[in-house]
């Protein structure tokens, strides 16, 4: 049984202020000395970076939590809860894994409360996750252009699904004291208490660009200052005691915490644990914490490196993971780091396992917007005005260092780039939904694709990758 107090922060639609409120609450509660576990519904990589900063000791100006032993000082990653990619059955276990030892968990929703995977009912919606977690919902309402109508809006959301428990409302973008009185008077009749009021603010939102917010890794110093201001706004405008009491009203959750306990790869005499280098830094910020945990559990030593700054791969690298991010923003700098580009190409040409997703795919290409990249793949990438976005179902076309032929996965695409050609002679995936096509590249040990996957739903991917690192090490 899991008894972590918890809240889901939702909204009627995107743009209402969920990220502002959720991140501010994480920071404000952390500032009060609580060990806070941050979570995000859906596949988003950027918001969890701000969540992790919000709960980092000292990030909001406080000395850090003083909760359960060890939990307070530990840096907690923002974790995703995606019922499409991982399946509804993993939501509770993944939540329990991330929230272990914490005093409070705050879950930021996605889009509107009842919006989920297109054409699939409530699947992957904030509402579904709130029900799976048996967690009360706090509805963030953009009140900037309404007064009494807010009661009808809240009533509709609260009554739409009786299994979704909306326990409170936070009014955002309120103009004046009079505006606040009108909103409160209207909501008195709804039966849903107002737990916070935030006024129209200046300068506490993160800057955006072509794929959403700028990741915290690209503006950490500025983000720390904004976080302190955000925590102050939320502390001043929200009833933290009422919100904490609501969180504590969540019933016990009958789940067993997820563990990255894949069967470890059998060690090979004299080989030791293979070093798997994982790209990070400002250009490669998209990753799920569970991937590193699974690789480690399978028997690897995971070592991060920054392709913008490091001119060599970590010593002893036998495998390489390059996740998502914004290589298009840093194409000149990535291209200028010729020693590392050559090292990556040499590793790939040696047959060592390389798993690349989206940004990693572009980095392995011949060029990106005309700037030379690693040249592992005979393909060229460029920025496009078209956004490619959505959930996908796929099957591995053939055997690779990452997946056996026939392996089925669910994933997500999110980019504004075009790769020509989009698939190699041996594609990585055959897309089966929502359209049929082949995509990506498999050559030697390389598996490169636009598709983002969540390995918690397919831990055999991590084990196979580590196994191939050992095999390649012994045959090199």
């Amino acid at each position: 049984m899991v008894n972590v107090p918890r809240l889901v922060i939702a909204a009627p639609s995107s743009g209402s202020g969920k990220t502002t409120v959720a991140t501010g609450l994480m920071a404000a509660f952390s500032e009060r000395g609580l060990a806070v576990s941050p979570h995000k519904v859906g596949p988003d990589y950027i918001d969890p970076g701000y969540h992790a900063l919000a709960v980092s000791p000292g990030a909001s100006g406080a000395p850090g939590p003083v909760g359960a032993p060890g939990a307070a000082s530990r840096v907690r990653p923002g974790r995703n809860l995606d019922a499409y990619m991982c399946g509804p059955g993993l939501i509770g276990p993944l939540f329990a894994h991330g929230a272990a030892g914490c005093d409070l968990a705050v879950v930021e929703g996605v889009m509107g409360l009842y919006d989920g995977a297109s054409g699939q009912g409530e699947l992957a919606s904030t509402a579904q996750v709130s029900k799976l977690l048996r967690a009360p919902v706090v509805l963030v309402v953009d009140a900037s252009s309404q007064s009494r109508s807010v009661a009808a809006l809240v009533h509709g959301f609260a009554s739409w699904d009786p299994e979704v428990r909306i326990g409170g409302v936070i009014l955002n973008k309120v103009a004046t004291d009079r505006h606040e009185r009108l909103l409160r008077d209207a909501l008195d009749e709804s039966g849903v208490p107002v737990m916070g009021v935030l006024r129209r603010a200046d300068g506490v939102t993160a800057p955006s660009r072509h794929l959403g917010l700028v990741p915290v890794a690209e503006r950490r110093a500025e983000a720390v200052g904004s976080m302190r201001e955000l925590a102050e706004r939320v502390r001043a405008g929200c009833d933290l005691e009422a919100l904490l009491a609501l969180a504590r009203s969540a019933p016990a959750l009958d789940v067993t915490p997820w563990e990255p306990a894949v069967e470890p790869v059998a060690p090979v005499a004299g080989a030791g644990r293979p070093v798997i280098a994982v790209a990070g830094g400002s250009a490669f910020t998209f990753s799920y914490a569970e991937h590193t945990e699974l690789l480690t559990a399978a028997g690897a030593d995971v070592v991060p490196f920054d392709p913008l700054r490091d001119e060599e791969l970590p010593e002893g690298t036998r495998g390489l993971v390059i996740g998502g991010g914004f290589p298009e923003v840093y194409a000149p700098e990535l291209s200028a780091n010729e020693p590392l580009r050559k090292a990556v190409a040499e590793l790939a040409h040696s047959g060592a396992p390389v798993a690349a997703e989206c940004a990693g795919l572009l980095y392995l290409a011949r060029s990106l917007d005309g700037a030379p990249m690693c040249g592992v793949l005979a393909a060229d990438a460029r920025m496009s005005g078209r956004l490619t976005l959505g959930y996908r179902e796929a099957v591995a076309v053939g055997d690779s260092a990452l997946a056996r032929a026939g392996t089925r996965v669910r994933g997500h695409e999110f980019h504004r780039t075009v790769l020509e050609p989009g698939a190699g002679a041996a594609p990585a995936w055959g897309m089966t939904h929502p359209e049929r096509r082949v995509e990506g590249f498999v050559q030697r040990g390389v598996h490169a694709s636009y598709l983002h996957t969540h390995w918690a739903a397919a831990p055999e991917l991590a084990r196979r990758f580590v196994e191939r690192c050992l095999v390649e090490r012994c045959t090199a």
Side-chain angles (χ1 to χ4, degrees):
M1 302 293 280
V2 176
N3 288 293
V4 178
R6 52 200 180 274
L7 291 173
V8 171
I9 308 302
S13 64
S14 295
S16 299
K18 289 190 307 294
T19 301
T20 297
V21 171
T23 308
L25 286 174
M26 292 171 191
F29 280 120
S30 294
E31 188 180 76
R32 294 184 65 179
L34 298 179
V36 180
S37 179
H39 302 263
K40 170 68 180 180
V41 178
D44 184 287
Y45 290 100
I46 299 176
D47 289 349
Y50 285 91
H51 297 170
L53 178 64
V55 303
S56 296
S60 61
V66 292
S73 59
R74 190 160 70 238
V75 175
R76 290 188 172 272
R79 293 182 184 268
N80 295 72
L81 299 172
D82 194 308
Y84 183 92
M85 292 210 290
C86 295
L90 269 183
I91 296 302
L94 285 170
F95 168 82
H97 170 68
C102 282
D103 305 308
L104 173 68
V106 177
V107 181
E108 181 189 340
V110 63
M111 300 185 293
L113 174 59
Y114 295 107
D115 300 323
S118 180
Q120 301 198 46
E122 72 171 7
L123 179 62
S125 67
T126 304
Q128 183 190 35
V129 170
S130 74
K131 292 191 287 187
L132 291 168
L133 297 181
R134 305 183 71 192
V137 174
V138 176
L139 197 67
V140 178
V141 176
D142 179 350
S144 58
S145 299
Q146 58 184 317
S147 57
R148 190 165 180 264
S149 293
V150 72
L153 176 73
V154 172
H155 172 76
F157 273 81
S159 61
W160 177 260
D161 185 342
E163 294 183 55
V164 175
R165 177 190 170 202
I166 296 183
V169 175
I170 291 177
L171 299 170
N172 192 28
K173 301 181 184 179
V174 175
T176 62
D177 289 345
R178 180 174 181 276
H179 187 201
E180 179 180 340
R181 286 195 301 273
L182 291 171
L183 295 166
R184 286 184 178 276
D185 288 346
L187 285 166
D188 280 345
E189 303 175 27
S190 73
V192 181
V194 176
M195 293 187 169
V197 175
L198 300 179
R199 297 298 171 91
R200 294 174 183 170
D202 298 318
V204 292
T205 57
S208 299
R209 60 174 178 234
H210 58 285
L211 292 181
L213 297 181
V214 176
V216 70
E218 299 184 42
R219 54 183 297 270
R220 188 173 182 87
E222 179 188 356
V224 168
S226 296
M227 195 64 64
R228 291 172 179 167
E229 189 175 348
L230 184 56
E232 171 60 30
R233 278 192 60 217
V234 169
R235 184 175 62 250
C238 295
D239 187 340
L240 296 185
E241 292 300 332
L243 288 162
L244 188 57
L246 179 62
R248 288 172 173 164
S249 73
L253 197 59
D254 187 11
V255 297
T256 301
W258 177 84
E259 291 290 343
V262 294
E263 181 184 352
V265 174
V268 177
R273 293 172 65 92
V275 173
I276 295 179
V278 177
S282 297
F284 298 95
T285 55
F286 293 7
S287 65
Y288 294 126
E290 291 82 2
H291 288 200
T292 295
E293 293 169 346
L294 283 162
L295 290 170
T296 302
D301 286 335
V302 178
V303 181
F305 73 102
D306 185 348
L308 288 174
R309 295 180 173 82
D310 297 327
E311 294 188 344
E312 298 178 346
L313 290 169
E315 184 178 355
T317 295
R318 297 307 309 165
L320 177 60
V321 175
I322 317 174
F326 292 100
E328 62 271 27
V329 175
Y330 296 96
E333 293 92 333
L334 289 169
S335 185
N337 191 350
E338 188 175 355
L340 185 67
R341 289 194 289 112
K342 288 183 176 179
V344 169
E346 288 173 2
L347 184 76
H349 292 321
S350 76
V354 178
E357 288 186 351
C358 201
L361 168 71
L362 306 184
Y363 186 54
L364 294 183
R366 194 162 40 205
S367 68
L368 172 55
D369 282 337
M373 292 290 115
C374 295
V376 174
L377 308 175
D380 298 283
R382 58 178 172 80
M383 283 292 292
S384 165
R386 177 176 177 269
L387 175 63
T388 299
L389 170 68
Y391 285 124
R392 307 285 187 260
E393 294 181 19
V395 60
V397 176
D399 285 340
S400 72
L402 187 66
R404 296 184 184 277
T407 299
R408 293 186 175 276
V409 298
R410 284 185 164 186
H412 187 262
E413 275 192 90
F414 184 41
H415 58 89
R416 283 191 185 272
T417 55
V418 173
L419 189 69
E420 296 174 342
W429 302 111
M431 300 294 184
T432 60
H433 180 82
E435 58 182 331
R436 291 188 174 273
R437 58 186 169 92
V438 293
E439 187 265 349
F441 298 76
V442 171
Q443 58 185 56
R444 297 190 180 182
V446 174
H447 183 286
S449 164
Y450 267 124
L451 190 67
H452 291 289
T453 56
H454 199 304
W455 293 359
E460 67 274 12
L461 300 183
R463 188 183 189 281
R464 180 175 175 83
F465 193 79
V466 173
E467 185 176 51
R468 291 295 294 269
C469 289
L470 275 173
V471 169
E472 290 300 327
R473 175 170 184 166
C474 294
T475 57

